[in-house]
Structures are given as structure tokens and as C-alpha cells.
Amino acid sequence: MERIEEKLAILADAAKYDVSCSSSGSRRRNNGGIGDASRSGICHTYTEDGRCVSLLKILLTNHCIYDCAFCVSRRSNDVRRAAFTVGEVIDLTMNFYRRNYIEGLFLSSGIFKSADFTMERLLLIVKKLRLEERYHGYIHLKTIPGASEELIKEAGLYADRMSINLELPTEAGLKMVAPEKDHESVKKPLALIQNQISTYKAEKKIIKQVPSFVPAGQSTQLVVGATPKTDFEIMQVANTFYQDYKLKRVYYSGYIPINDSHSLLPQIGSAPPLLRENRLYQTDWLLRFYGFKLEELLDPAHQQLDLTVDPKLSWALRNPQFFPVDINRANLKEIIRVPGIGRQSAMKIIHARKFGRLYAYQLQKMGLAFNRAKHFISYADAPFILGAPSMETIKQAILSESTSKYASKVHTHQLTLF
Amino acid sequence: MDYIFDGSYSGYLTGLFECFERSEWDATPRSAAIPQGSLFGSHRVITTDLTKAKRVQTGLMKQLGAKDAEAFFHVFLSENPSAWTSGYKLIQQVFKGRPNILKNFGEHDVLYFVKTLKQVNRERHRMKAFVRFSKCTNGLFFATVEPDFNVLPLIATFFKNRYADQSWLIFDVKRRYGILYDQTNVREVHLTTTLAGGPSAEATSFSLDERDDLFKRLWKLYFQSTNITARRNLKLHVQHVPKRYWKYLVEKN
Ligand code: SF4
């Protein structure tokens, strides 16, 4: 193998546990050079584990002076080390981009020498891409915890998205496995960038030519299942971060054991909690796009998500007082809360019913999961039921209809949302 | 009544214009390029007339706005005669004073139209993702594709904006034409065949840039390295990247 191939193998492998691959949300235009960032993002291919490949996701180096137990690149781990040169990263990015392999670059790094030294290198790469290569494609840059304000601010002028990983949902958990890290070193840059984004936005209203600052916003990642935290605790942290730092996304990553030496972490070979990860994403989605409040889905008395059914169905089963929802009269907010109906089909219903009352045969063709939804709605020719059936009966009916789907979900990872 | 048109969108719209002239509401569009249906049934041969086509197009824009008017072109590119017929039915309704017909998701023609539209747009999105350029010695980046629908017209602007500073060619193998960008304009190119029936010398004389193979290898390597074996899920993989696209994807070869 040539040296560049070896480096790529090592540094892509080390970066792959960062789940964020999103290339959406930016609106960088191509002016006179190459590339743009499309608003909706594009997955150019999918890995054999079914994840979207949108960005060239690599580390600049996997040398690191720290020793975080959950990380493959930790100092004490016995792995092959490599480091790209600045030029190599640029060459790879440009050549992959020009061949339409990728939407852009996701660059992160282990910390070598010092946080600032590392951040300077990352900054140099994005600057060269933008200014010398006239590259306008997507760039996601990892903020290095502990890097100086000036460097972070300058990087924000060239990156589309910046992120910094919380990794573990609670401070105590983080201290246990990564003694050198704390939540403060993550919160500070998040707040700093959020501040800059707001300032630039405010200025943009007055002067047009203000450069865009991290136009696709910030994100963070939470590792799930490394330490014994409940879903409620995890979602509480996520929720606060959405609110306090206006994050674009929180990613939940089922912990994949990579370390046998640490007794607190799951051992190598134990399966990553994929179904649980899926349930957390579904909950996240309900909070952000379906108007749910966290307390409706999880609370101190109710700390874990139900693995057998998705969180929306689970909520509906616990709240029979809201059902049935009358498809021909209810408002959008009520309709999207029905299990089996997503935002798109809810919109279709709202439009279609202007032409007349809707019947079962029409609903069945509108792209909703009618067999699930029918237990929770009434429509023009809905059977009249004396005394509502108990929610337990409904749950059994739904589960038996879709046994295969729910049963197989426990083993495979499939991100279907409702 | 079958309306046989020349296979172009202008022909399709001309046919529609004429069905209004004759009040023939059962007009069923058929392309002369795709032989099907009974040749002996009652039919008319439509001669493409740009003025008529233009009038329908302007009318649609006025009634529906640019986006929905454009939807009829997208559905047309599906090359699916049933969807073409649904399109006729809906345009007839629009001009009969029901411009919001497209929102009546309780009706068959609307659902079929919308379903087809979705399929075409999905294919368009796929082509934005699955095109893989190779670099030639003369600096041209070229790719071959075989989309389910005739979506090249729908991706030209995307590639033009993104790859503004490089020349590129995307060739549809199934429909035997391509779009070529010369850093100024995009135009349609057709494969001229030699007498022997093979591709012309010009079309096959490209030779690959000396570093092209290196980047193909690096991309494949990247694809493998970024995979997490513990999460392996081939079913999902194939669902996202159906097998029929594999032969044009560097990482799957
Ligand atoms: S500082 Fe980052 S790269 Fe280094 S060991 Fe910790 S998580 Fe890994």
C-alpha cells in the first residue's frame, strides 16, 4: 500500500465513530470557483451498515495527548498512528469533490502538542480550501476543546457547520471515563459560536455584505450506552442544548465497545444498542417537528423509552383521552400526533378534505400507515364503536399485525420514523 | 382516442391544446417513439406546434404558478403513458376552472400523478448523488448513467452551478444522449454512430488522467474504512443503493 492509502485507511477508520454526516442546512453559492452547499444535503452513497456517506470524514491525525476511555485514538491505546499533511487533505478533498463522490469535508483531529496548535492546522486547511482552491462546498469542522477564542472565531468564517462533542450526557459520567475533560470546555465554544452567529445575523440586517458565519449551525454528539444513563436524562441534556445553544442537531450514537481495559465501559463484542438509539432519534424528532414536550414522552416516573413500540405510539396508548381524532375536522397539530400519520400525509389530509369528507379508501392511498392509524381516528365511514376498546387491546392488535417488523427491529438497525 | 405525438414535451402539450379544440376529453397521449396500444384503434397523429404548446405552458403557469406547472414536465419525463394520461386529465380540469385540483389527494388521477412526480424527483435526486466522474487527460470529467426515468434535463442546472469551473459530460446510456458543459453552456449531445454501428472514434478516444485511477482506489478504500462492521445492515444498504445502480458506482466495483 502506498503511504497515502495507509493514512487514509487509518484516519478514516478513526473518524467514523462520529456519526454526523449531515451536509444540509447551508446555502453557500458558487461564485466563480467550484462547489456549492445544497440546502437539503445529498448522500452520495451508503455504507454497508446503511449510513449515509455525504462527506469525506477524516481526522487530520489520530495522535492525541489525551486519554479518553471511550475513544479509539486515546493515548494509551495501541493503534497505528498517522497524520496527513495540510496539502494531502486539500488534494483528497478537491479530487473527491470534483468527481462528485462527496458533498464536502468533515474534518476533525486528535489533539497533538496543544489545542491551539491543532486548531491552527485545521484553520489553515479550511482557509486554503476557500481562498486558494476557491472551493465553496460543504465544510464541517470539529472545534478542538480548549482552543483559543480567536482561532474558533476565525474558523467560523470558513466553515458551514461546527460541532463539538459532549460525548457523555452527564458531567459525572464524563469525569469517570475522561478525567481530563469536562462539560465546561464544550459549553464555552458552543456559547461563543452561538454568540457570533447571532451577532452576524443582526449585522446582516443592517449591512448586506457581512460574511456568513457557520451558516449551517452547530451540532453535538451524545454517546448512548457507554455509562448507565436513562433515556430521560439523555433527552433532558439534549433538550437543554437545543434551547441554550440553538443547536441544529444532536446526534445519538450507540456506543460500540472499543476498549477492554476499562471496567466501567461495555466490553468488546457486546452489541451496540441500535434499537435504543433509534428510539432516541424518534423522540428527538417528535420534540423538534411534532410539537411534543419532553414531559409528554418521558418524566421522572417514566425514565426509559419503550423498546417494543415507537415513542409516538407509546404516548398515544398512555393518553386515550385525546382519541379518536376526527380526520375531517381536527387541526394539523392534532392530526400529526396520530400514530401512523407523518407530517406529509397530515398536510395531504388537510388539503384533500377541502374537496369533501374523507373516506377510508382515500386515506389508505395517502401514504399513511392506515392499519395503525385507524385505531386512533374517525373518518366519514369509520365503524361506529360503542365504548372505546382499551388501549391494551389496541396495542396487542398493532403488535400482532406488525410482529415481524417490530421483532426484527430489535436486531437490525433501521431508522424508520413512525 | 389515441393522440400520437413525436415524443417531445412540446408535442405532448400540442396534443392537449388540440383536445380542447375538438372537445375530445378522452384523448390519450401516445408517443410515436414507443410503439404500443392498438395501431388500428382510432387515433390522430399530432404535429408538434410550438405556438400551441407555448399557449398551454403559459396558461399553466398563470393558473398554477411556476412550480406546479413544472410538475407536469417532470411527470412527462417518467415516460409512463398512464401518468401522461393522468396529466391530460388534470390539465383539462385546471383549464375548466379547477386550478386547485392538484390538492385533491382523494382522487385517483391526482394520486397517480403525485406518485409519479415523486418517483421522478427521487430519480433526479439519485442522479445528483450517484453520478461518478472520471477525469480525462484533456481535463473533461465524464460519467455514464442509466436512470429509470429521463432525468438529465432536470439535473443540468445543478451540475452547472456546482462544477462551474470544469468541463463535464453526463451520458445516459439507455437513452443514448448526454449533456455536455463547456464552462459556459450546457448542451445536449448525441452519440454519432459509425457505419459499423460502434460508437464514433471521437466518443471513444478519451484517455484517463494519470491520477484518476489513484483517486478511484482511494475512494473505494475510504468507502470500506468508513464502514462499521458491528452495525452491518446489508438490507438497508441495498434499499438505499439499489443493485441496478452498482455498475456505475466506483465504490461498488
Ligand atoms: S481528546 Fe478527542 S481524540 Fe483525544 S482521546 Fe479524547 S476524544 Fe479521543
Side-chain angles (χ1 to χ4, degrees):
Chain A
M1 241 199 278
E2 277 175 57
R3 187 64 190 142
I4 181 78
E5 298 186 312
E6 203 180 326
K7 285 185 186 179
L8 181 62
I10 294 172
L11 296 169
D13 187 87
K16 72 187 175 190
Y17 297 100
D18 205 308
V19 287
S20 157
C21 77
S22 160
S23 57
S24 62
S26 198
R27 247 190 280 205
R28 204 172 284 274
R29 287 260 188 83
N30 185 1
N31 54 62
I34 172 168
D36 50 14
S38 95
R39 241 174 93 61
S40 55
I42 295 175
C43 296
H44 283 265
T45 189
Y46 290 80
T47 54
E48 291 192 347
D49 56 54
R51 285 172 310 131
C52 162
V53 181
S54 177
L55 306 172
L56 169 63
K57 196 189 289 179
I58 46 173
L59 299 187
L60 176 58
T61 177
N62 64 342
H63 288 285
C64 191
I65 54 174
Y66 289 113
D67 204 29
C68 313
F70 52 79
C71 176
V72 251
S73 303
R74 66 185 181 280
R75 185 183 60 221
S76 65
N77 201 18
D78 182 21
V79 289
R80 286 196 300 162
R81 307 277 167 175
F84 281 125
T85 64
V86 168
E88 282 167 342
V89 174
I90 291 170
D91 198 34
L92 269 177
T93 308
M94 292 313 295
N95 275 287
F96 279 9
Y97 195 84
R98 287 193 179 280
R99 286 169 175 76
N100 202 44
Y101 295 164
I102 53 170
E103 283 297 288
L105 174 67
F106 181 132
L107 188 61
S108 174
S109 184
I111 302 175
F112 54 106
K113 287 193 189 160
S114 71
D116 271 353
F117 189 85
T118 311
M119 195 69 202
E120 265 169 24
R121 289 294 174 86
L122 299 182
L123 177 60
L124 186 61
I125 291 174
V126 290
K127 247 174 124 165
K128 279 189 178 239
L129 278 170
R130 294 286 191 228
L131 304 178
E132 287 174 17
E133 301 291 329
R134 302 206 297 162
Y135 164 84
H136 304 285
Y138 198 86
I139 296 179
H140 181 154
L141 196 63
K142 264 326 226 325
T143 311
I144 300 298
S148 73
E149 262 191 39
E150 286 65 45
L151 290 174
I152 294 177
K153 278 189 186 168
E154 196 180 353
L157 290 170
Y158 303 104
D160 291 283
R161 171 169 287 186
M162 290 180 79
S163 69
I164 180 157
N165 287 354
L166 267 174
E167 306 294 3
L168 295 182
T170 60
E171 183 85 44
L174 189 63
K175 272 266 154 350
M176 222 155 44
V177 290
E180 296 130 330
K181 278 192 169 176
D182 55 35
H183 268 191
E184 258 335 286
S185 64
V186 171
K187 284 181 182 165
K188 238 177 72 193
L190 278 177
L192 176 71
I193 293 173
Q194 177 48 37
N195 243 321
Q196 289 292 106
I197 293 178
S198 321
T199 326
Y200 275 86
K201 270 202 181 129
E203 278 178 24
K204 214 163 206 156
K205 281 187 194 139
I206 311 167
I207 333 164
K208 272 250 165 66
Q209 276 74 24
V210 174
S212 59
F213 189 87
V214 196
Q218 302 193 78
S219 64
T220 194
Q221 167 172 314
L222 288 169
V223 174
V224 178
T227 51
K229 288 295 162 226
T230 68
D231 294 342
F232 179 55
E233 288 172 290
I234 294 172
M235 289 313 304
Q236 251 182 332
V237 174
N239 219 19
T240 332
F241 273 80
Y242 274 126
Q243 276 159 16
D244 295 356
Y245 305 109
K246 309 252 177 328
L247 294 189
K248 278 280 148 51
R249 282 292 288 276
V250 173
Y251 291 92
Y252 309 88
S253 165
Y255 179 68
I256 297 165
I258 39 177
N259 181 356
D260 258 340
S261 59
H262 204 289
S263 57
L264 293 167
L265 294 170
Q267 297 305 292
I268 290 182
S270 35
L274 298 181
L275 181 60
R276 182 174 177 207
E277 186 186 297
N278 189 9
R279 292 284 179 257
L280 288 168
Y281 274 114
Q282 289 173 324
T283 307
D284 184 280
W285 214 258
L286 290 177
L287 295 176
R288 287 191 299 146
F289 304 118
Y290 283 76
F292 280 88
K293 295 252 177 319
L294 181 57
E295 310 82 74
E296 294 181 276
L297 305 168
L298 289 162
D299 58 58
H302 220 103
Q303 300 236 1
Q304 296 292 7
L305 293 165
D306 191 343
L307 290 184
T308 53
V309 296
D310 69 64
K312 197 205 240 182
L313 179 55
S314 169
W315 168 82
L317 293 170
R318 278 181 280 125
N319 292 280
Q321 70 275 19
F322 294 116
F323 301 100
V325 165
D326 185 347
I327 284 302
N328 286 302
R329 307 167 76 142
N331 62 33
L332 183 66
K333 270 191 186 158
E334 294 163 332
I335 297 179
I336 56 175
R337 285 183 166 232
V338 174
I341 301 187
R343 290 195 67 95
Q344 278 198 354
S345 24
M347 282 312 296
K348 279 189 186 164
I349 289 170
I350 301 273
H351 283 303
R353 70 186 187 185
K354 292 183 194 143
F355 296 85
R357 279 157 53 79
L358 296 175
Y359 291 77
Y361 79 95
Q362 293 168 306
L363 292 171
Q364 277 159 353
K365 288 189 194 154
M366 284 183 185
L368 45 115
F370 185 73
N371 275 339
R372 180 140 24 132
K374 71 178 178 206
H375 301 288
F376 301 95
I377 54 176
S378 61
Y379 39 93
D381 56 341
F384 185 75
I385 303 168
L386 250 190
S390 82
M391 284 298 167
E392 191 47 38
T393 323
I394 293 180
K395 180 173 178 177
Q396 288 317 322
I398 291 177
L399 282 179
S400 68
E401 257 168 28
S402 49
T403 0
S404 54
K405 186 177 156 209
Y406 279 101
S408 65
K409 252 194 179 171
V410 179
H411 303 293
T412 60
H413 167 73
Q414 179 151 15
L415 212 135
T416 45
L417 294 154
F418 323 114
Chain B
M1 172 71 66
D2 281 359
Y3 273 36
I4 316 250
F5 67 103
D6 61 2
S8 71
Y9 190 53
S10 303
Y12 178 78
L13 293 182
T14 306
L16 193 106
F17 187 93
E18 293 188 7
C19 91
F20 268 91
E21 281 182 327
R22 305 192 187 93
S23 301
E24 260 171 10
W25 309 122
D26 66 342
T28 314
R30 293 269 178 261
S31 164
I34 314 169
Q36 65 189 144
S38 72
L39 282 175
F40 308 104
S42 54
H43 66 266
R44 291 182 196 288
V45 174
I46 306 297
T47 316
T48 301
D49 178 332
L50 290 183
T51 324
K52 288 177 179 173
K54 191 112 202 241
R55 276 182 61 187
V56 177
Q57 180 62 17
T58 321
L60 278 177
M61 299 264 279
K62 222 160 94 196
Q63 296 287 330
L64 301 173
K67 189 162 174 274
D68 279 351
E70 173 112 5
F72 287 92
F73 178 54
H74 289 212
V75 168
F76 172 77
L77 295 176
S78 71
E79 302 170 330
N80 169 1
S82 309
W84 287 350
T85 309
S86 287
Y88 263 31
K89 295 255 177 313
L90 295 178
I91 299 179
Q92 284 166 6
Q93 296 277 348
V94 169
F95 288 128
K96 283 176 180 172
R98 300 183 65 200
N100 54 0
I101 179 76
L102 283 181
K103 293 273 185 294
N104 187 0
F105 297 105
E107 197 177 291
H108 168 80
D109 281 317
V110 178
L111 282 175
Y112 196 74
F113 182 85
V114 172
K115 193 179 110 198
T116 312
L117 180 63
K118 223 172 152 178
Q119 287 171 338
V120 173
N121 286 340
R122 196 220 271 148
E123 196 62 10
R124 167 204 209 182
H125 190 77
R126 273 195 181 130
M127 283 305 124
K128 290 183 191 172
F130 291 167
V131 160
R132 296 284 180 269
F133 287 120
S134 299
K135 191 182 179 185
C136 306
T137 35
N138 64 1
L140 178 75
F141 285 79
F142 87 92
T144 46
V145 292
E146 206 177 333
D148 288 348
F149 311 117
N150 184 18
V151 292
L152 289 195
L154 303 181
I155 59 172
T157 315
F158 170 82
F159 280 99
K160 180 179 174 219
N161 291 341
R162 173 163 291 194
Y163 299 108
D165 72 348
Q166 73 190 37
S167 304
W168 50 258
L169 167 68
I170 303 172
F171 193 81
D172 183 335
V173 177
K174 206 194 289 179
R175 297 168 187 83
R176 298 178 65 79
Y177 82 99
I179 44 179
L180 174 71
Y181 172 70
D182 57 9
Q183 299 183 43
T184 319
N185 293 307
V186 182
R187 64 194 152 91
E188 230 181 85
V189 289
H190 292 261
L191 197 63
T192 45
T193 45
T194 59
L195 280 181
S200 72
E202 195 202 352
T204 47
S205 67
F206 300 141
S207 56
L208 290 181
D209 181 90
E210 55 175 21
R211 291 214 300 164
D212 196 66
D213 192 55
L214 170 67
F215 289 109
K216 283 198 175 99
R217 264 185 294 135
L218 287 170
W219 175 241
K220 275 191 213 177
L221 183 72
Y222 175 72
F223 180 70
Q224 285 151 14
S225 307
T226 196
N227 183 41
I228 300 179
T229 346
R231 303 181 63 120
R232 190 179 159 90
N233 185 348
L234 274 182
K235 209 178 126 197
L236 191 58
H237 170 69
V238 173
Q239 191 179 316
H240 284 306
V241 191
K243 288 197 173 135
R244 61 181 182 284
Y245 300 100
W246 287 12
K247 74 172 164 180
Y248 299 102
L249 295 174
V250 174
E251 67 273 18
K252 297 301 295 177
N253 278 301

